[in-house]
Amino acid sequence: MTWTPGRLRRKRVVLAVGAAAALCLTGPALAACSGAVESGAVESGAADRAGEVPEWDDKATPTTVSRQMNIDLPSTATDVRAAHQNGFQDDGLLLVFTLPTSGVDGFVEQLDPERELRSRAEPRSSVAKPMTPFSHLGLPEPESVPDVREGQICAPCDGDLNSQAVAVHRLDASESRVYLRAVD
């Protein structure tokens, strides 16, 4: 194929039109970003400031979170912790408690998981940073500890929840920690 002066001119015009179109599409977005930076709206750690999304709901309690997750807390549960994170589109819900190991199977059965929980003897080699971390409750992520059974309860779920998962970490011969994470 030979490039004639007319063909080269058309190619340059097409490239120039394409570049102009790309600038028209990205220009407003870049202007919005630069305006936010100039006004101080974008700062390091901005998501941690009060009033920004995502943010942790300081009024969340184990009772309110368990109600949102449609979970009946067992009467034998101890060290109960909960958190609710308000998000842009979805909220994150965390509920953690310790149960006697003898009562874990009965509790998991009432959750009616989609499949039998998978057992994992070792921590996962690479753990992704979750959007709603259990570290907010002062606990390790269930993916980072050994001797865990885990699985999906539902996705999508009936009602308001989009998804819900459970992980059970055996602490010792008599106690296990139950981790529940949901997206509302």
Side-chain angles (χ1 to χ4, degrees):
M1 169 191 277
T2 45
W3 289 96
T4 62
R7 184 170 244 181
L8 283 173
R9 198 173 306 115
R10 280 192 301 271
K11 183 176 181 180
R12 286 186 191 130
V13 169
V14 168
L15 289 174
V17 169
L23 190 56
C24 286
L25 293 173
T26 59
L30 292 174
C33 289
S34 66
V37 170
E38 289 171 11
S39 70
V42 177
E43 298 176 7
S44 174
D48 295 332
R49 294 185 320 194
E52 300 235 0
V53 176
E55 69 176 345
W56 294 101
D57 181 351
D58 294 336
K59 297 176 185 150
T61 65
T63 302
T64 61
V65 171
S66 65
R67 192 175 306 129
Q68 287 177 282
M69 295 175 86
N70 300 314
I71 300 290
D72 292 327
L73 281 171
S75 61
T76 56
T78 59
D79 191 21
V80 182
R81 305 177 196 192
H84 179 166
Q85 185 182 49
N86 297 310
F88 285 108
Q89 294 178 342
D90 297 315
D91 292 351
L93 300 167
L94 301 175
L95 182 63
V96 182
F97 48 88
T98 303
L99 280 181
T101 300
S102 61
V104 169
D105 288 339
F107 175 76
V108 170
E109 283 177 27
Q110 82 171 18
L111 296 175
D112 193 26
E114 292 178 345
R115 295 182 189 91
E116 187 175 330
L117 301 184
R118 297 174 306 277
S119 293
R120 181 175 41 79
E122 299 296 322
R124 290 204 178 137
S125 57
S126 62
V127 178
K129 184 177 178 183
M131 293 297 292
T132 310
F134 285 100
S135 62
H136 179 72
L137 298 173
L139 296 170
E141 298 304 314
E143 297 83 7
S144 69
V145 295
D147 196 17
V148 172
R149 292 185 302 146
E150 58 195 350
Q152 193 74 29
I153 297 171
C154 57
C157 304
D158 292 335
D160 293 333
L161 296 180
N162 296 335
S163 66
Q164 189 171 28
V166 63
V168 179
H169 173 227
R170 189 175 181 127
L171 298 171
D172 56 35
S174 62
E175 291 188 316
S176 294
R177 180 172 292 135
V178 177
Y179 292 84
L180 293 154
R181 178 182 280 136
V183 175
D184 180 7

